[in-house]
Amino acid sequence: LPSSCTGESAPVENNTCEVASGSLAIGYNIQCDEEEACIPCFINPNPDPDRRRRYEIRDLPEGHWESFEFAVNTMQNLTMDEGQGKYGPIFKNHVYMVAFHIFATDSLRGEQAHLGAHFFPYHSAFANMYDAVVTTITDYHNLPLESSPYWWPFKDTDQRDIVGPKYFGTHPGLGENYEVIDGRFANWTIPSFNDSLIQYEKYVSNASDNFYAGSIYGQLRESTSYLWQSTYVAFPRDPGMNRTGSEFQPTGLEDVMRCLDCEYDRDNYNIFHFAWCVQERWHVWAHAGLGGFRFTDEGERFNADFDGKQGPISPIFVPFHNTVDMFSSEWMSRYVEWSNVSWGYPYKRAFNYASNNTYNGINLFDTINSAFPMRWYDLGWIPFDGPDANKTVTYFDALCATIKQNADHVYVKFSGAPDGAPGEIVEPRNSSTHGTTNMSPGGQTATAWAEAGQDDLLPAAEAFLKAYNADSDNRLDAAEAFLEELLSSSEEDGKRK
């Protein structure tokens, strides 16, 4: 357990972190260079300078927040059939994403999303799958949004706008029973179990892997949930307090910066240690601060954001976990020379530090959440009808795709962040553009559906994509063939031209 990541005053000396002996049982984790050759992660030496940009919520260009709000509400209000009929197979509604998270956290094999090195690739892939839907919707409607925003949730920044009426509603909630009744997602509904989760079992490869059965109130909450309210709830931070004098109290940036400043060390500080550091010193407490605490009639203390799967139901979940993705991407990028060993990610006997156990499903080359898998087209990596579109996403895939040199987006440094914080400083774009020159694959898919008259171009485009994704020597020939076909198409179709 890195001394500089304990949240105490232990200093970081020479930018390294010493590990307290025996605090994390890393001997269980078997890294890929111990018994077999590793598969190196390709690192793009020349990232696209015009990649889509992820802004902090308060730094979004004009109109972008409204676009994000529109897309999230669309995901909340449409069924899967309605959404896929309009936007194509990449569409997922909001409850699908909640179900995906439930099947990972309640797997009978063991936790598939938290409490180990798998925390980062799981949540990066989850956030990017959500973003692929958001950008598909906004691109389809030609709305100004490049990528879903992130949230800078640290106490060095005034959070009253974020957890107030301007964005996600006042925390603690202003309703009679602490329901969040203001903000842009006021009275956000908690779905019923029978009408929501069961319908997603057709997407599940092994429904028997999951033991979740909903709450006693028939909601998408824990079976032991004390929450009976039908909308999102946020209690005060102190369980003994009422609303007066209580508000969301985030953790300090220094807690997670200590984790980020620890250098890679194969045995003493690899991605397993970094995952522990971020989860336990920051991520857990940000959730706790959002949900707040109450006491039951029996005097038991419980948290609203962890209770009953309410965390992923909230619209703030993805901006919050985009920040997790930003920090993991930054740490991997700082130590990119260790990408050839996947930053020490265990290729077998991956370890859960909370249960003190190893189990299948969370090793480097395992499919993420294999009982309810995501596929490459779900993340917008490949068009839905492209080669390998149905390939399932592994933890290795997600690590390689989300390091910042390879990601299809760039995190723009928050204007309120201090020196040394992650994020890139960029020049403003021309006001007439919003990333359409680098449209997301999801947006391209939706556009292709909307413009079915371009079917004659699809074979040439598919040939190019196949050559590109195979890292083929024929890339240039395929690209030239596609462009020739494009430019020779109907002059009357100005949009195609």
Side-chain angles (χ1 to χ4, degrees):
L1 193 152
S3 60
S4 65
C5 297
T6 60
E8 300 171 356
S9 58
V12 178
E13 297 180 1
N14 299 323
N15 199 33
T16 62
C17 293
E18 294 183 358
V19 180
S21 175
S23 56
L24 286 180
I26 61 172
Y28 287 105
N29 292 323
I30 299 180
Q31 301 177 38
C32 63
D33 59 341
E34 294 182 10
E35 294 187 5
E36 68 179 21
C38 298
I39 299 176
C41 177
F42 170 78
I43 303 297
N44 186 356
N46 298 300
D48 182 0
D50 196 40
R51 289 180 289 177
R52 296 182 298 126
R53 296 177 177 179
R54 281 190 180 170
Y55 294 92
E56 207 279 339
I57 293 168
R58 288 156 288 194
D59 286 345
L60 282 167
E62 183 178 358
H64 287 218
W65 167 256
E66 289 75 14
S67 300
F68 176 70
E69 179 189 344
F70 172 82
V72 172
N73 276 302
T74 299
M75 293 173 69
Q76 172 79 335
N77 294 328
L78 293 184
T79 66
M80 290 288 286
D81 289 342
E82 290 169 342
Q84 292 187 349
K86 183 169 185 177
Y87 299 109
I90 201 170
F91 177 86
K92 314 288 185 298
N93 64 11
H94 191 78
V95 181
Y96 177 101
M97 303 300 295
V98 177
F100 182 84
H101 197 268
I102 286 173
F103 269 84
T105 58
D106 282 346
S107 171
L108 289 172
R109 291 169 296 171
E111 202 6 304
Q112 303 286 302
H114 307 87
L115 309 176
H118 52 291
F119 169 71
F120 285 129
Y122 174 88
H123 283 91
S124 291
F126 180 96
N128 281 279
M129 179 164 64
Y130 199 98
D131 181 62
V133 181
V134 167
T135 53
T136 292
I137 294 169
T138 56
D139 286 348
Y140 179 89
H141 294 284
N142 198 31
L143 297 175
L145 180 71
E146 297 193 39
S147 187
S148 301
Y150 70 95
W151 169 40
W152 191 255
F154 305 107
K155 66 183 179 184
D156 61 316
T157 306
D158 189 342
Q159 301 293 342
R160 284 175 291 185
D161 277 351
I162 298 296
V163 286
K166 186 174 182 179
Y167 292 110
F168 293 100
T170 302
H171 289 54
L174 299 177
E176 182 178 357
N177 297 289
Y178 295 99
E179 299 93 342
V180 177
I181 60 173
D182 62 347
R184 305 303 285 269
F185 303 101
N187 300 302
W188 193 257
T189 302
I190 304 297
S192 69
F193 173 78
N194 290 331
D195 293 338
S196 54
L197 194 62
I198 291 176
Q199 66 179 291
Y200 298 102
E201 287 189 353
K202 66 181 180 181
Y203 301 101
V204 175
S205 62
N206 183 14
S208 63
D209 177 73
N210 182 272
F211 60 83
Y212 180 66
S215 79
I216 59 175
Y217 300 105
Q219 301 168 345
L220 240 62
R221 287 184 163 135
E222 297 284 5
S223 59
T224 57
S225 175
Y226 296 104
L227 298 174
W228 53 266
Q229 298 92 329
S230 60
T231 57
Y232 184 78
V233 175
F235 295 131
R237 178 67 179 267
D238 185 328
M241 293 182 68
N242 292 316
R243 293 184 185 87
T244 304
S246 178
E247 61 181 24
F248 170 67
Q249 298 174 14
T251 56
L253 174 62
E254 65 274 9
D255 291 330
V256 71
M257 288 301 293
R258 287 188 183 121
C259 305
L260 190 63
D261 288 339
C262 297
E263 291 184 355
Y264 172 86
D265 181 294
R266 180 188 178 280
D267 294 319
N268 296 322
Y269 198 82
N270 56 46
I271 196 167
F272 178 72
H273 303 87
F274 181 53
W276 177 91
C277 197
V278 170
Q279 282 186 90
E280 300 303 318
R281 299 312 311 158
W282 166 60
H283 168 261
V284 166
W285 298 108
H287 270 297
L290 281 171
F293 295 95
R294 285 282 88 181
F295 285 121
T296 67
D297 293 340
E298 292 75 26
E300 183 178 350
R301 180 175 180 263
F302 71 100
N303 173 264
D305 213 51
F306 288 126
D307 187 77
K309 317 303 178 191
Q310 184 172 247
I313 287 174
S314 169
I316 204 172
F317 185 85
V318 166
F320 172 23
H321 289 82
N322 278 340
T323 307
V324 172
D325 175 61
M326 177 172 67
F327 275 91
S328 65
S329 174
E330 174 69 22
W331 186 81
M332 291 190 295
S333 178
R334 290 186 182 187
Y335 308 108
V336 66
E337 66 270 25
W338 299 105
S339 62
N340 63 327
V341 292
S342 300
W343 299 273
Y345 193 106
Y347 88 93
K348 66 179 182 179
R349 293 188 67 186
F351 181 68
N352 178 315
Y353 60 74
S355 67
N356 200 36
N357 199 9
T358 64
Y359 47 84
N360 292 326
I362 57 174
N363 298 312
L364 179 62
F365 301 113
D366 289 344
T367 294
I368 294 176
N369 199 19
S370 59
F372 193 166
M374 63 181 88
R375 307 184 189 280
W376 280 33
Y377 78 81
D378 290 324
L379 278 73
W381 292 352
I382 291 179
F384 71 93
D385 53 356
D388 293 328
N390 284 303
K391 182 180 177 182
T392 57
V393 179
T394 67
Y395 295 99
F396 174 80
D397 294 334
L399 287 174
C400 292
T402 57
I403 184 173
K404 68 181 183 181
Q405 288 91 332
N406 294 348
D408 65 354
H409 54 270
V410 61
Y411 284 98
V412 179
K413 187 173 182 177
F414 175 42
S415 59
D419 294 342
E424 306 298 320
I425 298 174
V426 298
E427 294 294 326
R429 292 200 194 278
N430 184 298
S431 60
S432 64
T433 66
H434 56 268
T436 53
T437 56
N438 191 34
M439 185 182 289
S440 66
Q444 294 169 9
T445 298
T447 302
W449 274 62
E451 301 174 0
Q454 295 192 20
D455 286 348
D456 55 315
L457 298 178
L458 289 178
E462 288 172 350
F464 166 57
L465 286 170
K466 185 174 182 179
Y468 186 88
N469 287 317
D471 199 17
S472 167
D473 292 337
N474 298 322
R475 278 182 176 181
L476 183 58
D477 291 341
E480 288 177 342
F482 170 57
L483 289 171
E484 183 176 352
E485 182 71 26
L486 179 68
L487 294 174
S488 65
S489 60
S490 173
E491 292 280 350
E492 297 176 1
D493 189 341
K495 198 166 188 178
R496 180 190 302 180
K497 184 75 170 179

